[in-house]
Amino acid sequence: MISALNQLVDLVEKHLAEEFDIHGLARELGTTEYHLRRMFSSLAGMPLSEYVRRRRMTVAAADVVRGEDDLLSIAVRYGYGSTEAFGRAFRAVHGSGPGDVRRDGGPLRTQPQLRFRLTVEGSIPMDTRIVDRPAFRLVGHAARVPLIHRGVNPHIQRHIAALPQEEHLRLKALSDTEPRGLLQVSDDLDPDSAEGSELTYLHGVAVSRDTPVPDDLDAIEVPAGMWAVFRTAGPHPQALQTAWAATATEWFPSNPWRLRPGPSIVAVLERADDFSTATCELWLPVEPV
């Protein structure tokens, strides 16, 4: 995976002024575009699309400062159809418009070319199991919420708090298959995992494929497949979020599995009354490399 990500970075550099075929690269490397994007965003700390924009504007800034070409020519060179669109992208990266930078020589914010390297970590073992599951359903109450990487997501908090206590009990009674108990489900997540991008959050349970689903509940059909299940314990949600990040930095680079499209699921096994600590299972859909 480290080699694959560095080849992706090289591909970006070769095609800064045009679109590039990430799907074709993933196929050549024996992986998928979905997994490649997810690993890039997790390890780089930014979506691939944001990195491409920053690199384009870093290189374009040199052309702007040199002043040899008009701004429209530079905009077209880097894939923008107008000086207005180019100016918006330029300002988002550098904090100033291209005209101001041409006049004053700055300010400029440079995005260095990324290079991924393998470091020796993993001193804390990850408690993991691989599960082969038949098709099942996730049923409960769903809402569209923004993705927040760190801390408690207040949008999810409000969604759960709005459900009466008896509804939690009704959902628990429906659960008849793994993962057991009340679940926190994230689905329709952008592969780039950009902060603020929307996802579908479902508060519910897992049921067998032939279990009748009440009409007032939302349902997500989950096809048969393999799952990597990570057990976490400690301060909540910090321990869970740390483990989630470690799957990208440590577990996937060290194991012959890759992410496949599908929901990610958190099952809370035990928790303190105030939810300050918890023991959880993180279920991620995977397939062999």
Side-chain angles (χ1 to χ4, degrees):
M1 181 46 58
I2 299 299
S3 174
L5 290 171
N6 284 326
Q7 289 184 59
L8 175 57
V9 169
D10 292 340
L11 185 67
V12 170
E13 290 301 308
K14 290 177 182 176
H15 299 277
L16 276 178
E18 59 192 15
E19 294 302 315
F20 56 91
D21 184 12
I22 182 175
H23 179 74
L25 175 66
R27 188 172 58 248
E28 288 177 17
L29 296 174
T31 186
T32 64
E33 179 180 348
Y34 181 86
H35 183 70
L36 205 54
R37 284 183 178 274
R38 287 287 295 270
M39 291 298 100
F40 183 95
S41 62
S42 296
L43 294 174
M46 72 182 91
L48 175 61
S49 56
E50 175 64 15
Y51 173 70
V52 171
R53 183 169 67 107
R54 290 184 188 182
R55 283 297 299 152
R56 280 179 177 163
M57 292 305 101
T58 295
V59 177
D63 291 350
V64 169
V65 172
R66 277 196 294 266
E68 296 174 358
D69 299 307
D70 60 81
L71 293 180
L72 179 58
S73 297
I74 297 173
V76 172
R77 182 179 305 148
Y78 290 97
Y80 293 87
S82 68
T83 54
E84 290 78 11
F86 175 70
R88 286 193 296 271
F90 193 94
R91 189 174 292 105
V93 171
H94 298 291
S96 297
D100 298 327
V101 167
R102 171 161 285 185
R103 183 186 65 243
D104 302 328
L108 295 173
R109 296 173 185 163
T110 300
Q111 170 62 59
Q113 182 177 344
L114 287 179
R115 185 57 52 184
F116 294 91
R117 291 185 174 87
L118 181 64
T119 58
V120 178
E121 295 181 350
S123 57
I124 301 176
M126 298 186 72
D127 187 353
T128 313
R129 60 192 172 102
I130 303 296
V131 180
D132 190 1
R133 296 283 291 114
F136 62 95
R137 285 181 180 147
L138 295 162
V139 300
H141 298 275
R144 293 292 287 175
V145 301
L147 175 63
I148 294 177
H149 288 144
R150 297 289 180 187
V152 175
N153 188 317
H155 307 276
I156 292 176
Q157 252 187 339
R158 287 194 293 269
H159 176 63
I160 297 173
L163 299 175
Q165 184 59 34
E166 56 268 24
E167 186 60 15
H168 296 284
L169 298 175
R170 180 174 77 121
L171 288 171
K172 280 185 178 180
L174 284 173
S175 175
D176 65 4
T177 191
E178 277 199 300
R180 300 285 181 179
L182 284 173
L183 307 174
Q184 303 167 2
V185 180
S186 299
D187 196 23
D188 293 330
L189 180 65
D190 187 319
D192 284 337
S193 300
E195 180 100 9
S197 60
E198 283 201 334
L199 60 95
T200 297
Y201 174 83
L202 181 136
H203 185 75
V205 295
V207 299
S208 302
R209 196 173 188 180
D210 55 355
T211 298
V213 178
D215 292 338
D216 63 331
L217 296 180
D218 300 302
I220 298 173
E221 299 289 338
V222 183
M226 308 291 287
W227 296 79
V229 183
F230 303 88
R231 190 182 181 94
T232 70
H236 188 79
Q238 293 88 346
L240 178 63
Q241 291 170 337
T242 298
W244 205 313
T247 64
T249 58
E250 298 182 28
W251 195 82
F252 279 108
S254 306
N255 289 274
W257 300 92
R258 65 187 177 204
L259 283 167
R260 59 182 172 86
S264 57
I265 305 169
V266 174
V268 180
L269 307 181
E270 298 176 0
R271 69 178 181 88
D273 290 341
D274 62 357
F275 227 139
S276 59
T277 62
T279 299
C280 303
E281 281 189 343
L282 169 62
W283 290 61
L284 297 180
V286 297
E287 61 188 6
V289 172

